[in-house]
Amino acid sequence: MEATKQKTTIVLFSGDLDKAIAAFIIANGAAAYDHEVTIFFTFWGLNTLRKDEVVKTNKGLLEKAFGWMMPRGAKRLGLSKMNMAGMGPQMIKHVMKKHNALSLPQLIELAQEQGVKLVGCTMTMDLLGLQQEELMDGIEYGGVAAYLGDASEGKVNLFI
Amino acid sequence: MEATKQKTTIVLFSGDLDKAIAAFIIANGAAAYDHEVTIFFTFWGLNTLRKDEVVKTNKGLLEKAFGWMMPRGAKRLGLSKMNMAGMGPQMIKHVMKKHNALSLPQLIELAQEQGVKLVGCTMTMDLLGLQQEELMDGIEYGGVAAYLGDASEGKVNLFI
Amino acid sequence: MEATKQKTTIVLFSGDLDKAIAAFIIANGAAAYDHEVTIFFTFWGLNTLRKDEVVKTNKGLLEKAFGWMMPRGAKRLGLSKMNMAGMGPQMIKHVMKKHNALSLPQLIELAQEQGVKLVGCTMTMDLLGLQQEELMDGIEYGGVAAYLGDASEGKVNLFI
């Protein structure tokens, strides 16, 4: 008989580098302890999953505007505090490297290797005009029902 | 014998439009799945519940100052990101309308129809000088004890 | 036979005065209801625990820069909203005093008296160059494993 794994979920609402790092450190930790982990990316959190490069899409003007204004991917996120026009994120990245801490792109890769389920919120994608081609590969897509299905079986359910 | 309903609680601390929308989408989703849902409004989150119109009250100067500076109700909240002096919220409202998504006032109405319990934090109301006449009808009032009573029986307990 | 206590955990990521107050009010409430409570301080949340005075340490330049830029302790935190160059925190402190609400330093003291476990995140301390001598006495230290150990046995697990 197999024991049921503990479920852990994180809603990543924020598009801040520091909060995304915290989310992935907790997610990777929980996966290492054999939890079944889901990160549900909604609103600005979806920017974490955007591809580096510009992806050609067919969008309305407002959706294009959101696309321009929002950061493209994990390497371009700002800080929730002390962003200082981009100097803060550089400082954080520098000290992380110095201490051999994994960078956000590396944390995302590790999460995928460990089987952490990354789910893009389809409702927000509709609203902000983000299309699946613009996001990383290996992502699932779902809405609030999918989130609640996982969360209501979990104990550690965080909103970040 | 009636099965016990799953309890779900959200502390809405933030006064940002986008976070309030996220809170109500999760709350309405959970209510649709027959959870017993409580949203506990504290600090800036209380602004979500303020009435549109100016309500005449008898207040001290500091309480009046807070009243002036804080947004009056769900229609006046700003965004946590890209607020751009009010242009961001207009853009979000525009795309939500275009995609037939419910607006925040509609999400609040739906929550009330679905029996989501909306609780105003009495301690913060005291501090910020908010009075019950200034908030929407159909709200309950309570403190941290009321919150913990619900949360300690729930599994999905979020702080937004 | 002794009944097992309910566990409650809070990750305090934010360095904002208002969020720290909310965290400690919930923590103290839960402790009063006999929960076993842990607050895990990470990223900017660690500033809540810094000592008032300047502590002489031997640091690299970047770590020194973080040390200078980040607020030294609970009395110096800003607000998440309406900070207004420090006027907001003064207003909040004033109304809290007027209503005989406990200040943040008093809430921290109460938490320690009630046996709330305060844990500094060692990984962030390494990154930001914060040393144990710079933080309050009576704190424990741990990483994400320590956090998950507590949280996975709890029901109320918040990220603030």
Side-chain angles (χ1 to χ4, degrees), chain B:
Chain B
M1 208 190 81
E2 215 190 313
T4 323
K5 285 188 174 190
Q6 177 150 6
K7 290 199 176 176
T8 289
T9 73
I10 294 171
V11 176
L12 186 56
F13 172 95
S14 162
D16 297 320
L17 175 64
D18 41 357
K19 291 196 175 172
I21 290 172
F24 274 95
I25 286 174
I26 295 172
N28 279 319
Y33 283 96
D34 216 30
H35 295 200
E36 222 177 289
V37 187
T38 303
I39 310 181
F40 192 79
F41 297 83
T42 187
F43 280 80
W44 322 108
L46 275 166
N47 292 323
T48 317
L49 301 180
R50 286 180 83 188
K51 287 182 188 153
D52 257 0
E53 71 267 30
V54 179
V55 177
K56 231 186 158 119
T57 50
N58 195 358
K59 295 187 185 184
L61 193 62
L62 254 176
E63 287 78 8
K64 266 193 188 142
F66 276 118
W68 285 325
M69 291 184 303
M70 296 187 306
R72 271 207 320 282
K75 290 183 193 157
R76 288 191 178 83
L77 305 179
L79 288 182
S80 68
K81 290 271 155 194
M82 306 210 306
N83 194 53
M84 301 178 293
M87 203 175 94
Q90 290 312 319
M91 283 174 67
I92 288 283
K93 285 173 193 173
H94 189 88
V95 291
M96 286 179 74
K97 205 166 184 179
K98 187 177 149 192
H99 287 88
N100 293 314
L102 295 182
S103 67
L104 180 54
Q106 290 172 320
L107 287 167
I108 296 174
E109 210 183 308
L110 177 61
Q112 290 195 298
E113 276 169 21
Q114 289 200 102
V116 172
K117 200 164 72 179
L118 308 181
V119 183
C121 169
T122 45
M123 200 205 78
T124 319
M125 289 175 65
D126 276 357
L127 286 184
L128 301 180
L130 284 173
Q131 304 182 356
Q132 298 199 5
E133 305 89 87
E134 298 176 78
L135 302 186
M136 293 175 35
D137 296 326
I139 295 169
E140 300 181 25
Y141 295 94
V144 70
Y147 164 66
L148 285 167
D150 286 333
S152 59
E153 293 177 18
K155 276 172 150 181
V156 185
N157 296 309
L158 306 175
F159 185 99
I160 298 185

Side-chain angles (χ1 to χ4, degrees), chain B residues 16 44 62-63 126 145 157, chain C residues 18 33 81 94 98-99 155:
Chain B
D16 297 320
W44 322 108
L62 254 176
E63 287 78 8
D126 276 357
N157 296 309
Chain C
D18 41 356
Y33 283 97
K81 290 272 154 191
H94 188 87
K98 188 176 147 193
H99 286 89
K155 275 173 150 181

Side-chain angles (χ1 to χ4, degrees), chain C residues 103-124:
Chain C
S103 68
L104 181 54
Q106 289 172 321
L107 286 167
I108 296 174
E109 210 184 309
L110 177 61
Q112 291 194 297
E113 277 170 23
Q114 291 201 99
V116 172
K117 198 164 73 179
L118 308 181
V119 183
C121 168
T122 45
M123 200 203 79
T124 319

